[in-house]
Amino acid sequence: MDVGIVGTGSVGRALGTGFARAGHAVRYGTRDPDRADVSDLVAGIEGAAAGSVAWAAEGDVLVLAVPADAVEGILADLDYDGVLVGPTNRFPDAPEESQYALVARLAPDARVVKAFNTVGAEVMLDPVFGGEPATMLVAGEDVPAKETVLGLAGDLGFDPLDAGDAAAAALLEDLARLWIRLAVAGPGAASDRTLGREFAFVVRSR
Ligand SMILES: NC(=O)c1ccc[n+]([C@@H]2O[C@H](COP(=O)([O-])OP(=O)(O)OC[C@H]3O[C@@H](n4cnc5c(N)ncnc54)[C@H](OP(=O)(O)O)[C@@H]3O)[C@@H](O)[C@H]2O)c1
């Protein structure tokens, strides 16, 4: 598959590395394809290249691995009708409109899927704990689009789970807010990965 990823930060790097490892081509859409860190990133990932956001959107799937505040500006310049994956989270307060609903409103022809928002980037790179794959919760209204993303989560090494519809997508954003709150102000000195483990296994008893 040809996977477009907007953003070359922590999540973009982790997902691009994992998708390429699974044999997918990765198109990074970045504000500056000529930046040295972007050149270094794609040089280190076989099958990855960088270009404009519009170029990345020519892939089979597009992941918005950008800050929540950047979503509106990016979608305003795109006319995208493919599978659009939103790992974006708002923290600390829950907005009236979920990120999922915002993306669906701003990209009305896209097939929007919520995924990759409930674990840290380091878990996306290495989702196996003690030999057990962590769960990746995936939600949205478009079932075939979700199947595509469930497959991609499986390719990363997760145990993918369809968590439900748009309402479930908003709940995944609440789950992420709890996780981030614990990470930044939680008890003890749990590392991101230790805390990630708790959230990654949150539905293992299903
Ligand atoms: N970090 C995590 O562990 C984690 C886990 C789950 C979900 N999330 C969510 O995933 C999203 C990405 O997180 P991240 O940690 O990867 O963020 P990050 O490290 O700050 O990277 C975001 C990337 O977005 C791109 N970008 C495009 N427009 C931007 C703008 N106006 N301002 C700043 N960057 C812009 C930048 O790439 P270019 O400079 O190449 O354009 C930047 O590297 C966020 O919404 C976050 O809530 C993060």
Side-chain angles (χ1 to χ4, degrees):
M1 200 174 283
D2 203 350
V3 185
I5 299 177
V6 187
T8 58
S10 310
V11 170
R13 282 165 188 265
L15 292 179
T17 302
F19 292 147
R21 207 186 275 156
H24 299 293
V26 175
R27 296 170 172 248
Y28 280 107
T30 167
R31 292 170 296 178
D32 185 0
D34 298 324
R35 224 170 50 215
D37 64 289
V38 174
S39 305
D40 290 348
L41 173 66
V42 297
I45 303 177
E46 202 182 327
S52 67
V53 171
W55 173 77
E58 290 171 21
D60 303 306
V61 170
L62 188 65
V63 183
L64 290 175
V66 298
D69 283 341
V71 166
E72 193 156 357
I74 289 166
L75 292 179
D77 294 336
L78 272 187
D79 185 15
Y80 185 71
D81 62 3
V83 177
L84 186 56
V85 188
T88 55
N89 287 317
R90 276 222 176 269
F91 181 83
D93 299 318
E96 209 165 293
E97 182 180 44
S98 70
Q99 281 284 295
Y100 174 90
L102 174 86
V103 170
R105 177 168 61 79
L106 297 175
D109 296 327
R111 303 159 67 200
V112 182
V113 178
K114 189 87 211 169
F116 307 121
N117 75 309
T118 55
V119 300
E122 67 290 338
V123 175
M124 297 175 203
L125 262 179
D126 180 12
V128 177
F129 294 84
E132 287 285 311
T135 304
M136 175 51 67
L137 299 160
V138 176
E141 294 288 330
D142 186 314
V143 172
K146 266 192 297 193
E147 278 165 6
T148 299
V149 179
L150 287 160
L152 286 171
D155 291 342
L156 293 181
F158 283 101
D159 174 22
L161 177 66
D162 183 344
D165 56 9
L171 290 172
L172 293 190
E173 297 178 24
D174 285 335
L175 179 63
R177 271 184 286 278
L178 173 60
W179 156 55
I180 299 165
R181 182 171 158 156
L182 287 169
V184 299
S191 71
D192 278 359
R193 186 159 175 85
T194 307
L195 187 60
R197 179 191 173 93
E198 305 309 322
F199 278 83
F201 282 92
V202 75
V203 293
R204 288 295 289 179
S205 58
R206 71 184 186 271

